[in-house]
């Protein structure tokens, strides 16, 4: 498939939206709030997929869809308040907000990816190139460049960026292409549970 200039602009904007903005929001939230709760807040993105798919993909919705969206937000609120229905912990509020913004970015990104149906591998290359263009000056002006010296850190970065994230994007868009968007969004909710298990064993964060 041949891509026009407008296609490359759209792919670059999608790279800005998720590879750049999403990960700034996500890792920023991990820095200021507990990982388990951040994962829960971040996984509002399946809810935003459903929300964005209605106007952008013209997918049908009914009262069950609306109830599911509302329950999604209520579930996250319960998790962040440890089931007390009280006001959110102010010391972690910035982290929750950043995770929520990341969820908006990823939800919109997923819907746009299904709408435009670009080649998964070509588009991923453009996404990452665009993100590199944006993140390079950001890193320079905000924090500077730090070259990791630990082999473990270097291998982790390569695995995270070059394998885990990129392959996950490819499989995710393939799933969206062959399945119903709303059903795929529901199935993804197994991930926050698995993530909480990992944070328990790796970070020592208990279940509340």
């Amino acid at each position: 498939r041949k891509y026009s200039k407008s296609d490359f602009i759209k792919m670059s904007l999608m790279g800005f939206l998720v590879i750049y903005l999403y990960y700034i929001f996500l890792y920023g939230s991990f820095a200021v709030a507990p990982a388990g709760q951040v994962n829960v807040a971040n996984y509002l993105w399946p809810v935003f997929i459903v929300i964005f798919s209605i106007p952008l993909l013209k997918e049908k919705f009914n009262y069950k869809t609306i109830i599911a969206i509302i329950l999604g937000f209520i579930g996250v609120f319960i998790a962040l308040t440890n089931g007390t229905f009280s006001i959110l912990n102010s010391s972690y509020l910035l982290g929750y907000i950043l995770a929520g913004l990341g969820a908006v970015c990823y939800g919109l990104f997923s819907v746009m990816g299904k709408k435009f149906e670009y080649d998964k591998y070509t588009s991923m290359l453009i996404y990452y190139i665009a993100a590199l263009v944006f993140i390079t000056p950001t890193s320079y002006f905000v924090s500077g460049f730090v070259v990791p010296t630990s082999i473990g850190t270097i291998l982790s970065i390569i695995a995270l960026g070059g394998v885990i994230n990129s392959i996950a994007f490819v499989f995710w868009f393939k799933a969206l292409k062959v399945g119903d968007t709303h059903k795929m969004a529901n199935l993804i909710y197994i991930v926050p549970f698995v993530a909480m298990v990992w944070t328990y064993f790796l970070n020592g964060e208990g279940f509340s």
Side-chain angles (χ1 to χ4, degrees):
R1 174 184 173 180
K2 292 184 178 180
Y3 294 112
S4 65
K5 182 179 179 180
S6 63
D7 287 324
F8 283 110
I9 291 175
K10 290 175 183 176
M11 283 188 274
S12 297
L13 290 174
M14 290 174 67
F16 172 80
L17 182 67
V18 74
I19 311 298
Y20 176 73
L21 274 186
Y22 171 70
Y23 282 110
I24 285 179
F25 290 143
L26 179 63
Y27 292 128
S29 63
F30 279 134
V32 296
Q37 292 187 332
V38 165
N39 271 312
V40 171
N42 176 61
Y43 269 86
L44 275 173
W45 63 260
V47 175
F48 286 109
I49 286 178
V50 176
I51 293 173
F52 289 132
S53 69
I54 295 171
L56 297 179
L57 300 179
K58 308 301 180 184
E59 295 198 358
K60 296 180 180 180
F61 71 99
N62 51 37
Y63 74 94
K64 294 181 181 179
T65 307
I66 297 173
I67 292 175
I69 291 172
I70 295 172
L71 289 177
F73 283 105
I74 292 175
V76 170
F77 184 77
I78 292 174
L80 297 185
T81 60
N82 295 322
T84 63
F85 293 93
S86 59
I87 298 175
L88 295 176
N89 189 331
S90 59
S91 59
Y92 299 139
L93 186 58
L94 176 60
Y96 302 153
I97 293 173
L98 291 174
L101 290 173
V104 173
C105 290
Y106 202 91
L108 181 58
F109 171 77
S110 297
V111 172
M112 290 172 63
K114 182 170 184 177
K115 180 179 178 66
F116 296 131
E117 294 187 341
Y118 295 127
D119 174 76
K120 306 302 178 291
Y121 302 99
T122 301
S123 60
M124 281 305 306
L125 176 63
I126 302 301
Y127 298 157
Y128 273 92
I129 290 175
L132 178 63
V133 171
F134 291 116
I135 198 64
T136 301
T138 302
S139 298
Y140 178 78
F141 288 110
V142 173
S143 62
F145 293 103
V146 177
V147 179
T149 56
S150 167
I151 297 298
T153 301
I154 294 173
L155 292 177
S156 297
I157 292 172
I158 293 173
L160 185 63
V163 180
I164 298 173
N165 287 341
S166 56
I167 291 178
F169 283 137
V170 171
F171 283 131
W172 174 237
F173 281 126
K174 285 183 178 293
L176 286 176
K177 183 176 181 180
V178 300
D180 178 82
T181 306
H182 294 184
K183 292 180 180 178
M184 293 299 103
N186 288 331
L187 287 174
I188 207 68
Y189 270 111
I190 192 175
V191 178
F193 172 76
V194 176
M196 290 185 70
V197 174
W198 278 113
T199 56
Y200 173 77
F201 286 107
L202 297 179
N203 295 351
E205 292 185 12
F207 297 101
S208 299

